[in-house]
Amino acid sequence: MLRWAIFIVIYLALALYTLQALKAATRYPWVYYLFIALSLLVLGNFIYQFTLGEVPGRVLSRPKSYAFGFLLTMMAFQLITILFLFSEDIFRLLAGIYHKFFGVTKTFTIPERRRFLSLLGMGIAAIPFGALLYGMYKGKYNYRVLNYDLEFDDLPSAFDGYRITQISDVHSGSFDNREKIEYAIDLINRQKSDVLFFTGDMVNNKSEEMHPWKQLFATLHAPDGKFSILGNHDYGDYVDWDTPEAKSQNLQDLMALQKEMGFDLLLNESRYLQKENDRIAIIGVENWGRGGFKKAGDLKKASDNIMKDDFKILLSHDPSHWEDVVINDEYHYHLTLSGHTHGMQFGIEIPGWIKWSPVKWRYKYWAGIYKELGQYINVNRGFGFLGYPGRVGIWPEISVITLKKKV
């Protein structure tokens, strides 16, 4: 209860400070009242969804997700506006101290400086405010197909030009637009890749979240098969289950669902893909993540039935596994496919110029292709979304990787 009281006080203080900027920028009272009403509505909805509207089992429901999204949007506007207004207040405070101690009676002021800074602050704050709203309205379904050509000296000749489609982090419990998901599934199929890999987090928490989408995802097609692994959210670790048996049953149900949809779920296992007289090994590990995430992945066990000199593609949900374990393993894993980070669903990407997201402060390898010690990883930016119900700058991704034999 104390945490809620502290949060409410801070939020209202930010809102009142921002209101001062509005009063400096405009003389229309209806603007003040509209801002006050929106601020209270966003706060009230957030408190309701996370208290009285709480879904049993600590599940992050869609209403809670949107409540968080609107709160984030409003607070981003407030904080950026306040930065400008606060700088003016600090200047006035320091000037007042200077005048008092040095007996200065005349003060130099820029006419309407406070109004100018208020307008400037709100103008700049409007950019993330609008971007976050756009991210919730359209950005989360702004699917992008990203194509990569990767060359290998030891790629078996029959696999030269072999096409892989990777998707990751579906988070089906967050979906709220069937038409957009149908479009995305069709977009995946239109890539006409040889094989399809899904690298974990089919659901947010419970297997039942996938029920409305099961038949749709069953239409995904690849001639050489569909392979999948588990992500940290698939185990149901973020739900308060009534019994351990209920949690275990949920995982079994999710595994069965994946099979029904045509996925070959790899649980620390391997498979071979054969073309003519050549083959490549597909290895799938359970989730292994740094920083408190489940470490069920067992690379040694998953690779028991493959040869050291095989060409290997590893499916591992969390890219920290690649950094901490895979690239230094005695086996050479030519290509690892991961997800997990979502690119934080927020950032700036201009191909060839800039790729930035706050998630880079936690994950060294957070989006796209990286190469270390002659081994590649692709960190897929994710198909779905979680928490903030949108995406800004880091769009949902369908990765298409073409394997090439270096000549």
Side-chain angles (χ1 to χ4, degrees):
M1 194 66 186
L2 178 61
R3 286 182 297 176
W4 276 112
I6 294 172
F7 167 73
I8 291 170
V9 168
I10 292 173
Y11 179 89
L12 292 177
L14 293 175
L16 289 172
Y17 211 137
T18 307
L19 183 61
Q20 302 311 306
L22 280 171
K23 289 183 175 180
T26 179
R27 295 291 181 263
Y28 294 104
W30 67 267
V31 176
Y32 318 150
Y33 299 140
L34 178 61
F35 173 77
I36 293 169
L38 285 175
S39 297
L40 292 177
L41 181 63
V42 167
L43 176 63
N45 182 51
F46 180 80
I47 294 172
Y48 171 77
Q49 295 299 340
F50 282 81
T51 53
L52 297 176
E54 179 77 34
V55 176
R58 199 161 52 93
V59 175
L60 184 62
S61 62
R62 277 195 290 269
K64 286 172 69 174
S65 184
Y66 274 98
F68 170 72
F70 286 123
L71 183 81
L72 181 67
T73 302
M74 183 62 74
M75 291 191 73
F77 178 81
Q78 293 173 354
L79 287 169
I80 293 175
T81 301
I82 286 170
L83 283 176
F84 286 85
L85 203 62
F86 189 66
S87 66
E88 162 67 3
D89 287 340
I90 291 295
F91 175 83
R92 292 172 65 185
L93 176 63
L94 293 176
I97 294 172
Y98 175 82
H99 296 156
K100 181 176 181 179
F101 278 92
F102 291 94
V104 179
T105 56
K106 293 184 178 180
T107 60
F108 174 73
T109 59
I110 300 175
E112 296 193 338
R113 181 176 57 203
R114 189 172 182 82
R115 182 172 185 272
F116 169 76
L117 287 173
S118 296
L119 287 170
L120 179 63
M122 287 188 294
I124 294 175
I127 297 173
F129 180 82
L132 288 167
L133 288 178
Y134 173 83
M136 289 191 285
Y137 177 59
K138 282 196 171 181
K140 61 189 176 185
Y141 296 127
N142 187 21
Y143 294 100
R144 302 292 177 91
V145 177
L146 300 185
N147 290 276
Y148 305 102
D149 291 343
L150 299 182
E151 292 187 334
F152 302 89
D153 291 318
D154 55 349
L155 179 71
S157 298
F159 286 89
D160 186 22
Y162 196 75
R163 282 169 63 86
I164 294 166
T165 289
Q166 179 200 1
I167 58 173
S168 191
D169 300 88
V170 165
H171 289 288
S172 56
S174 299
F175 293 159
D176 55 11
N177 189 319
R178 190 171 188 86
E179 183 180 347
K180 296 294 186 181
I181 305 304
E182 289 174 350
Y183 164 77
I185 296 297
D186 180 63
L187 187 60
I188 294 169
N189 284 331
R190 279 192 274 132
Q191 304 314 305
K192 299 187 182 300
S193 290
D194 297 290
V195 68
L196 174 68
F197 295 125
F198 169 65
T199 49
D201 279 1
M202 182 74 74
V203 297
N204 294 345
N205 295 289
K206 295 184 175 182
S207 63
E208 64 192 43
E209 298 165 13
M210 195 64 198
H211 290 170
W213 312 99
K214 179 178 69 174
Q215 291 183 341
L216 184 56
F217 276 77
T219 65
L220 288 170
H221 174 72
D224 291 345
K226 304 186 295 189
F227 298 88
S228 64
I229 56 172
L230 297 176
N232 56 297
H233 279 268
D234 294 323
Y235 295 90
D237 287 343
Y238 310 121
V239 178
D240 292 328
W241 298 96
D242 293 333
T243 64
E245 291 75 19
K247 180 181 179 181
S248 177
Q249 186 60 53
N250 176 74
L251 181 57
Q252 294 302 315
D253 291 345
L254 182 63
M255 292 178 182
L257 268 174
Q258 295 212 23
K259 184 177 181 180
E260 288 177 41
M261 291 185 287
F263 285 96
D264 185 355
L265 177 61
L266 303 180
L267 301 170
N268 295 323
E269 301 174 87
S270 63
R271 305 283 187 270
Y272 278 107
L273 296 178
Q274 190 85 28
K275 285 183 73 70
E276 301 173 7
N277 295 322
D278 292 329
R279 67 181 187 176
I280 61 176
I282 309 300
I283 304 99
V285 295
E286 293 196 52
N287 190 80
W288 191 104
R290 182 201 306 150
F293 289 106
K294 182 182 287 292
K295 287 182 169 63
D298 188 333
L299 187 60
K300 297 297 183 187
K301 179 182 177 183
S303 302
D304 273 349
N305 297 320
I306 66 171
M307 305 297 292
K308 190 172 183 178
D309 59 351
D310 284 329
F311 186 93
K312 307 172 196 68
I313 297 176
L314 173 67
L315 312 183
S316 181
H317 178 69
D318 191 317
S320 67
H321 185 223
W322 189 71
E323 181 181 0
D324 292 355
V325 178
V326 177
I327 57 176
N328 295 307
D329 191 82
E330 61 178 322
Y331 275 23
H332 183 88
Y333 293 89
H334 299 74
L335 173 62
T336 297
L337 302 178
S338 297
H340 181 64
T341 72
H342 301 201
M344 204 173 170
Q345 298 168 210
F346 177 84
I348 302 171
E349 285 198 88
I350 303 175
W353 289 86
I354 186 172
K355 184 174 81 173
W356 178 88
S357 168
V359 78
K360 69 176 293 184
W361 296 325
R362 172 155 186 173
Y363 291 96
K364 182 178 179 180
Y365 310 102
W366 59 273
I369 298 287
Y370 302 89
K371 187 178 182 181
E372 297 284 354
L373 302 177
Q375 301 167 87
Y376 288 98
I377 186 174
N378 180 52
V379 184
N380 185 283
R381 293 160 179 82
F383 183 91
F385 50 92
L386 181 70
Y388 165 62
R391 285 179 175 265
V392 178
I394 307 294
W395 311 118
E397 174 183 350
I398 299 163
S399 304
V400 178
I401 300 171
T402 302
L403 305 181
K404 299 281 189 179
K405 188 173 181 63
K406 189 177 290 186
V407 294

